[in-house]
Amino acid sequence: ETGVTQSPTHLIKTRGQQVTLRCSSQSGHNTVSWYQQALGQGPQFIFQYYREEENGRGNFPPRFSGLQFPNYSSELNVNALELDDSALYLCASSLDTSGRAREQFFGPGTRLTVL
Amino acid sequence: AQSVTQLGSHVSVSEGALVLLRCNYSSSVPPYLFWYVQYPNQGLQLLLKYTTGATLVKGINGFEAEFKKSETSFHLTKPSAHMSDAAEYFCAVSETNTGFQKLVFGTGTRLLVSP
């Protein structure tokens, strides 16, 4: 069973640029959630994708967007990067979208640095 | 909205000593609670979760947590710390809004284990 993978591991961008982060969900999982973890903080929910549609969003501006593909892999896109976007971005996959007891399986994350 | 509070950003113990990491929650509905561990430069790994039923939950690596409704707490314990337990620990509550589930995390507690 393959776990959640993310690419790239690290990324350095400058303010105003755009970035795309990628995530492959665990085998059989149809739901992907993205979280932002700033230094010294807990992860913050960005949004969730289920069957290729965004079905839930946290308190993040529209320049944070995403996609989910038929194989359930996902992308996180951030436009007009700001210094505060520097963080570890975590992808988590799970089976089914609802159900509060569902475990979310996390990938190793992508460390984004914005200069 | 549901939330969790982790008391103590850092906890230091000696190897072999009791580990106690504190988590209090706020929830208007019966909470589903999780503890995750994050090792340096890695993603989150589930230690244990409480959904319903038995209030004492056993997890991996010798950790356990007790759900106490009267105290709105879900503290994580381990009888004897090992050097390999040094990591960041996050308590989270599962929140299900319309159609999706998200995890709301605390700010984390860094566990330091000295020889």
Side-chain angles (χ1 to χ4, degrees), chain A residues 33 35 37 40-45 48 55-58 88 90 94 97-104 106-109, chain B residues 2 29-32 34 36 38 41-44 46 49 51 90 94-96 98-103 105-107:
Chain A
S33 303
Y35 292 82
Q37 185 180 13
Q41 300 295 316
Q44 299 286 319
F45 175 76
Q48 183 179 91
N55 72 331
R57 190 176 186 92
L88 180 68
L90 296 165
S94 57
T97 178
S98 61
R100 293 191 296 147
R102 295 292 185 188
E103 178 183 349
Q104 296 189 12
F106 284 81
Chain B
Q2 293 157 296
V29 298
Y32 285 11
F34 300 77
Y36 281 86
Q38 186 176 37
N41 301 314
Q42 294 188 28
L44 303 176
L46 181 69
K49 67 178 181 180
T51 54
F90 292 95
S94 176
E95 185 175 289
T96 301
T98 303
F100 72 99
Q101 174 216 25
K102 73 175 185 182
L103 293 173
F105 287 88
T107 52

Side-chain angles (χ1 to χ4, degrees), chain B residues 15 18-19 47 51 56 65-67 69 71-72 77 92 102 114-115:
Chain B
E15 192 172 21
L18 171 71
V19 175
L47 282 175
T51 54
L56 182 62
E66 186 171 10
F67 172 70
K69 183 178 179 181
E71 299 177 8
T72 62
T77 61
K102 73 175 185 182
S114 56

Side-chain angles (χ1 to χ4, degrees), chain A residues 13-76:
Chain A
K13 293 286 188 178
T14 57
R15 275 189 306 173
Q17 286 188 312
Q18 178 266 344
V19 69
T20 297
L21 310 182
R22 295 178 175 82
C23 170
S24 291
S25 60
Q26 184 163 314
S27 177
H29 286 183
N30 55 13
T31 302
V32 173
S33 303
W34 285 91
Y35 292 82
Q36 180 196 65
Q37 185 180 13
L39 197 63
Q41 300 295 316
Q44 299 286 319
F45 175 76
I46 302 174
F47 46 55
Q48 183 179 91
Y49 277 81
Y50 173 63
R51 293 184 176 178
E52 302 179 54
E53 291 193 3
E54 181 184 302
N55 72 331
R57 190 176 186 92
N59 189 27
F60 281 81
R63 58 189 186 84
F64 285 79
S65 63
L67 286 172
Q68 187 180 32
F69 301 99
N71 66 355
Y72 304 131
S73 65
S74 177
E75 287 183 354
L76 164 65

Side-chain angles (χ1 to χ4, degrees), chain B residues 69-81:
Chain B
K69 183 178 179 181
S70 61
E71 299 177 8
T72 62
S73 68
F74 190 57
H75 300 333
L76 182 71
T77 61
K78 182 174 181 178
S80 176

Side-chain angles (χ1 to χ4, degrees), chain B residues 9-85:
Chain B
S9 59
H10 293 80
V11 170
S12 295
V13 300
S14 299
E15 192 172 21
L18 171 71
V19 175
L20 171 61
L21 304 182
R22 299 178 185 275
C23 173
N24 288 90
Y25 68 88
S26 174
S27 177
S28 57
V29 298
Y32 285 11
L33 296 160
F34 300 77
W35 274 100
Y36 281 86
V37 61
Q38 186 176 37
Y39 297 101
N41 301 314
Q42 294 188 28
L44 303 176
Q45 180 183 9
L46 181 69
L47 282 175
L48 49 81
K49 67 178 181 180
Y50 169 78
T51 54
T52 58
T55 57
L56 182 62
V57 181
K58 294 186 183 299
I60 63 172
N61 301 340
F63 284 94
E64 62 183 34
E66 186 171 10
F67 172 70
K68 292 186 177 181
K69 183 178 179 181
S70 61
E71 299 177 8
T72 62
S73 68
F74 190 57
H75 300 333
L76 182 71
T77 61
K78 182 174 181 178
S80 176
H82 192 273
M83 295 295 289
S84 61
D85 294 326

